[in-house]
């Protein structure tokens, strides 16, 4: 599986990024993948390669490039409960500094870069994201309704911007929620908003999960839920993105 480390020009500098794409040449539909708050690391690279193996060009930008290149902070190989407080103490100032204005400015740059790559085919793209990356993916899809055909977010705070943001979506949507993040009542309210937006969607609580369930380098990891994530994501992309 070919991979590259790239530099994306943005309004505020250069964002380093990881890209994975199918072997054998040709052009492939583009997917912008937003990492969780821990950022680009082996588990994210592996997920990007896995997705690329199904026929997609996957671009994973360093969300916090304004604070330095990957790795922005040193992470242990396994992010267990005993190290999380110290890790979050370093991450939270960066997360709080990552304003909506920055998110949308970066999204413009990421999509422009993604669609200009020689390995990426013409046509719409997908955005996916994990944890805070799910929120960034949702904001990106809402801001680029003509360009983003599919949105998938996993254990992400996708509703925090309120109904007005979700009402701008035109992409087909899948939201996979952690059981620890959302009550059935809150899920019902969120899904009512998606109904009102008139988009095709699935939005469900993954059973027996806690926040972060897709990430195999954390205590939250749930292998069955990770598989369910692929079972939802791959058909969504297959329906919405055109392969040559």
């Amino acid at each position: 599986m070919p991979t590259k480390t790239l530099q994306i020009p943005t309004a505020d500098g250069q964002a380093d990024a990881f890209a994975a794409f199918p072997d054998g040449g040709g052009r492939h539909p583009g997917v912008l993948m937003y990492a969780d708050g821990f950022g680009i690391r082996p588990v994210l690279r592996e997920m990007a390669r896995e997705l690329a193996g199904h026929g997609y060009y996957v671009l994973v930008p360093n969300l916090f490039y304004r604070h330095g290149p990957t790795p922005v902070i040193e992470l242990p190989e396994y992010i267990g409960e005993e190290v999380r407080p110290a890790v979050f103490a370093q991450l939270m100032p960066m997360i709080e500094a990552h304003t909506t204005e920055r998110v949308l400015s970066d999204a413009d740059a990421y999509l422009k870069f993604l669609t200009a790559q020689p390995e990426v085919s013409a046509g719409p793209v997908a955005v996916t994201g994990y944890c805070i990356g799910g929120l960034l993916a949702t904001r990106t899809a809402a801001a680029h309704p003509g360009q983003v055909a599919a949105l998938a977010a996993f254990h992400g705070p996708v509703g925090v911007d309120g109904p007005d943001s979700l009402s701008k979506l035109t992409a087909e949507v899948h939201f996979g929620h952690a059981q620890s993040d959302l009550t059935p009542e809150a899920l019902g309210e969120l899904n009512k908003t998606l109904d009102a937006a008139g988009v095709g969607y699935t939005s469900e609580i993954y059973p027996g999960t806690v926040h972060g369930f897709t990430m195999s380098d954390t205590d939250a990891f749930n292998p069955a839920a990770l598989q369910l994530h692929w079972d939802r994501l791959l058909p969504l992309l297959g329906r919405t993105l055109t392969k040559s």
Side-chain angles (χ1 to χ4, degrees):
M1 189 68 55
T3 62
K4 290 180 180 174
T5 301
L6 299 164
Q7 297 291 326
I8 304 174
T10 76
D12 291 332
Q14 298 271 328
D16 55 300
F18 177 79
F21 47 95
D23 211 347
R27 300 174 77 190
H28 312 279
V31 179
L32 176 61
M33 178 185 283
Y34 285 107
D36 61 0
F38 297 130
I40 300 172
R41 58 197 193 282
V43 68
L44 258 296
R45 294 185 183 96
E46 185 51 44
M47 291 173 89
R49 282 193 290 265
E50 171 93 9
L51 185 52
H54 292 277
Y56 302 99
Y57 182 105
V58 185
L59 181 69
V60 190
N62 169 16
L63 308 180
F64 304 129
Y65 68 88
R66 292 173 181 84
H67 305 272
T70 303
V72 183
I73 67 168
E74 289 299 327
L75 286 172
E77 281 183 31
Y78 188 81
I79 308 165
E81 285 304 318
E82 69 285 354
V83 298
R84 284 175 79 92
V87 170
F88 272 106
Q90 293 177 274
L91 286 175
M92 282 314 294
M94 291 186 273
I95 292 171
E96 287 164 359
H98 203 54
T99 60
T100 303
E101 184 180 28
R102 283 184 173 184
V103 171
L104 296 180
S105 172
D106 287 347
D108 292 346
Y110 298 157
L111 289 175
K112 182 179 178 183
F113 183 88
L114 172 63
T115 54
Q117 295 311 295
E119 302 91 355
V120 174
S121 52
V125 300
V127 289
T128 70
Y130 303 90
C131 179
I132 188 177
L135 174 60
L136 306 192
T138 304
R139 288 175 173 169
T140 299
H144 296 269
Q147 190 173 18
V148 176
L151 161 65
F154 302 92
H155 48 84
V158 293
V160 300
D161 292 339
D164 288 349
S165 171
L166 295 175
S167 71
K168 298 185 177 82
L169 292 172
T170 59
E172 187 177 340
V173 176
H174 174 69
F175 289 152
H177 309 285
Q179 194 171 326
S180 66
D181 284 350
L182 208 64
T183 64
E185 294 74 24
L187 176 68
E189 288 300 313
L190 177 68
N191 291 353
K192 261 193 249 178
T193 303
L194 294 171
D195 287 331
V199 296
Y201 76 91
T202 52
S203 172
E204 60 187 313
I205 293 171
Y206 284 25
T209 55
V210 296
H211 181 77
F213 58 77
T214 56
M215 297 296 155
S216 61
D217 60 354
T218 73
D219 291 340
F221 181 54
N222 182 314
L226 176 63
Q227 185 55 52
L228 180 58
H229 138 283
W230 291 119
D231 293 344
R232 296 290 189 263
L233 177 59
L234 294 172
L236 171 66
L237 300 185
R239 286 192 300 273
T240 54
L241 301 183
T242 307
K243 292 189 185 180
S244 55

